[in-house]
């Protein structure tokens, strides 16, 4: 998660989106990383990390994705698949997050619930939530 937090600090600031970092790990080895707005102004961290791998990469069935923020369940950009759906489609069995998405940009994020309902193990590292939120201090998260 510390690596994901470092990546989130690389995000170009935005008043309309969170700064998030993501790392995909298999057997303790980092296989892909991403961060919000890494390749374009609409790309999410998990999306960016997954885009760097083949969709049918067999390692994904053993992977853990670390994301500083709960994966989105709804996108403001209707042409893009929510990150929760991308994770499910990739077959990633474990997701580790630092904090849940507040209702600033969407009424209610249901990423954790949707992942768990579909058999994905979700671990929340709440002790790292403040560090993962810190690069989003410019947003009104109250």
């Amino acid at each position: 998660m510390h690596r994901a937090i470092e990546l989130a600090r690389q995000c170009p600031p935005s008043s309309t989106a969170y700064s998030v970092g993501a790392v995909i790990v298999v057997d303790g080895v980092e296989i892909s990383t991403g961060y919000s707005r890494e390749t374009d102004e609409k790309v999410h961290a998990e999306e960016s990390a997954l885009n760097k791998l083949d969709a049918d990469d067999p390692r994904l069935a053993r992977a853990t994705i670390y994301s500083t923020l709960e994966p989105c369940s709804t996108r403001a950009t209707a042409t893009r698949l929510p990150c929760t759906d991308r994770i499910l489609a990739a077959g990633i069995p474990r997701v580790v997050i630092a904090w849940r998405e507040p209702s600033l940009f969407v009424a209610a994020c249901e990423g954790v619930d949707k992942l768990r309902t579909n058999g994905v193990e979700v671990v929340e590292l709440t002790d790292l939530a403040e560090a993962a939120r810190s690069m989003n201090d410019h947003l009104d998260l109250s």
Side-chain angles (χ1 to χ4, degrees):
M1 184 61 72
H2 292 286
R3 173 80 167 116
I5 291 169
E6 289 173 18
L7 289 164
R9 294 189 193 291
Q10 295 180 38
C11 299
S14 172
S15 61
T16 60
Y18 298 105
S19 293
V20 179
V23 179
I24 301 174
V25 175
V26 176
D27 300 328
V29 177
E30 179 182 298
I31 64 167
S32 189
T33 64
Y35 58 88
S36 304
R37 296 171 299 287
E38 180 177 10
T39 55
D40 70 61
E41 65 182 26
K42 302 289 185 193
V43 76
H44 287 193
E46 302 91 338
E47 175 183 19
S48 183
L50 285 166
N51 285 347
K52 295 173 185 171
L53 299 170
D54 288 334
D56 60 353
D57 188 322
R59 298 175 297 175
L60 292 171
R62 303 185 328 273
T64 297
I65 187 167
Y66 292 84
S67 180
T68 58
L69 181 66
E70 175 180 17
C72 68
S73 58
T74 304
R75 294 283 296 253
T77 309
T79 59
R80 295 202 179 195
L81 198 61
C83 293
T84 298
D85 294 344
R86 288 177 180 276
I87 291 166
L88 291 171
I92 296 174
R94 187 166 185 263
V95 175
V96 180
I97 64 168
W99 61 302
R100 291 208 186 195
E101 182 175 341
S103 58
L104 180 61
F105 301 119
V106 296
C109 182
E110 299 174 350
V112 166
D113 293 338
K114 186 172 184 178
L115 289 166
R116 286 182 173 152
T117 296
N118 284 279
V120 175
E121 177 189 2
V122 179
V123 177
E124 297 180 60
L125 301 178
T126 55
D127 56 320
L128 294 175
E130 186 53 41
R133 270 194 302 266
S134 65
M135 66 287 306
N136 292 285
D137 286 344
H138 64 286
L139 300 172
D140 181 12
L141 299 176
S142 55

